[in-house]
Amino acid sequence: DTGVSQDPRHKITKRGQNVTFRCDPISEHNRLYWYRQTLGQGPEFLTYFQNEAQLEKSRLLSDRFSAERPKGSFSTLEIQRTEQGDSAMYLCASSLVQVAGGLFEKLFFGSGTQLSVL
Amino acid sequence: DAKTTQPPSMDCAEGRAANLPCNHSTISGNEYVYWYRQIHSQGPQYIIHGLKNNETNEMASLIITEDRKSSTLILPHATLRDTAVYYCIVSPDGSSNTGKLIFGQGTTLQVKP
């Protein structure tokens, strides 16, 4: 059981720099989610993919943020021109949704990437 | 915004049952009740889910009221490793394009020796 893998675990960057995070979902999982979590708060939804298609983006996802999932496997989340307010834990989750109608969805989360913007 | 209301914190003695309440008075017919927990420095972990009936698995039991407006997560014999933030979430079934989970602030459960 390899689980959801995120890289790096920690990232320290200076304001204005670009950063990229990677998420490797559980093999065969067709949905992939990105969340952001700040201290003391629950995770906040950012965006999600079904296979390679990005189906929804939160209003939290400014134009400095971009996510991709080429070929429906791993995903990357890039933040351009980082700001101190971007400091947070970025969580990735994946799930397998097979049948339309009446199916619960169980998300498997990675351990996250902790971003600190100085 | 989260569709659930949970107490911000609870204590439980080790070995005793922990009963975590959740109100979800605006739940819709096709929405499941999910419980996840997050241990410090880790991602959230699925615990259990339910639609109408009570559910039990190796981790916990979920009791859903008949009107589905509230539920209780029960950890039958809490251990120190159960100390975590517990999130109660309502969400449509996975077939919808929504798909995402909306987390509130959860309940911080402290299990004490």
Side-chain angles (χ1 to χ4, degrees):
Chain A
D1 180 11
T2 56
V4 177
S5 177
Q6 292 190 245
D7 185 68
R9 285 281 280 133
H10 303 275
K11 179 70 177 178
I12 300 174
T13 191
K14 292 183 179 179
R15 187 171 46 137
Q17 297 295 305
N18 298 343
V19 294
T20 300
F21 311 139
R22 178 181 171 117
C23 172
D24 287 276
I26 293 173
S27 180
E28 308 303 323
H29 276 193
N30 52 5
R31 283 193 179 175
L32 187 148
Y33 296 79
W34 285 100
Y35 285 81
R36 180 174 71 185
Q37 186 174 25
T38 54
L39 196 62
Q41 303 297 314
E44 297 173 297
F45 169 80
L46 293 178
T47 188
Y48 91 99
F49 295 82
Q50 175 131 346
N51 300 311
E52 63 275 7
Q54 189 172 15
L55 294 187
E56 187 172 348
K57 293 192 287 187
S58 165
R59 58 184 169 78
L60 295 174
L61 211 65
S62 76
D63 56 7
R64 296 184 298 105
F65 288 69
S66 63
E68 294 182 343
R69 193 184 182 199
K71 303 178 183 178
S73 56
F74 72 92
S75 176
T76 58
L77 178 67
E78 181 184 16
I79 309 174
Q80 295 182 328
R81 305 180 304 280
T82 53
E83 302 173 356
Q84 288 184 325
D86 297 331
S87 295
M89 173 76 79
Y90 290 84
L91 292 160
C92 176
S94 69
S95 71
L96 177 62
V97 178
Q98 291 177 296
V99 177
L103 188 67
F104 80 95
E105 186 174 1
K106 178 178 173 180
L107 266 60
F108 294 81
F109 283 83
S111 295
T113 294
Q114 180 67 51
L115 173 66
S116 298
V117 181
L118 305 178
Chain B
D1 291 343
K3 298 182 181 179
T4 62
T5 304
Q6 300 177 252
S9 64
M10 293 181 64
D11 290 342
C12 178
E14 187 178 19
R16 303 298 294 270
N19 297 280
L20 291 85
C22 179
N23 287 321
H24 32 80
S25 57
T26 61
I27 192 169
S28 300
N30 70 335
E31 289 184 316
Y32 286 82
V33 179
Y34 293 89
W35 283 83
Y36 282 74
R37 74 179 182 183
Q38 188 172 25
I39 296 170
H40 184 62
S41 298
Q42 297 181 22
Q45 175 193 24
Y46 166 85
I47 301 173
I48 199 167
H49 76 280
L51 186 61
K52 296 180 182 178
N53 300 320
N54 298 338
E55 303 289 344
T56 295
N57 64 19
E58 66 279 3
M59 292 183 69
S61 295
L62 175 60
I63 308 298
I64 302 174
T65 58
E66 192 170 345
D67 63 7
R68 305 212 318 129
K69 292 184 177 182
S70 65
S71 60
T72 301
L73 178 75
I74 301 172
L75 307 178
H77 306 286
T79 71
L80 298 178
R81 290 178 296 177
D82 292 322
T83 293
V85 179
Y86 287 77
Y87 297 100
C88 170
I89 304 161
V90 297
S91 184
D93 66 61
S95 64
S96 74
N97 285 333
T98 306
K100 61 185 183 282
L101 301 178
I102 305 298
F103 289 80
Q105 293 192 310
T107 295
T108 298
L109 175 68
Q110 181 73 49
V111 181
K112 299 185 174 182

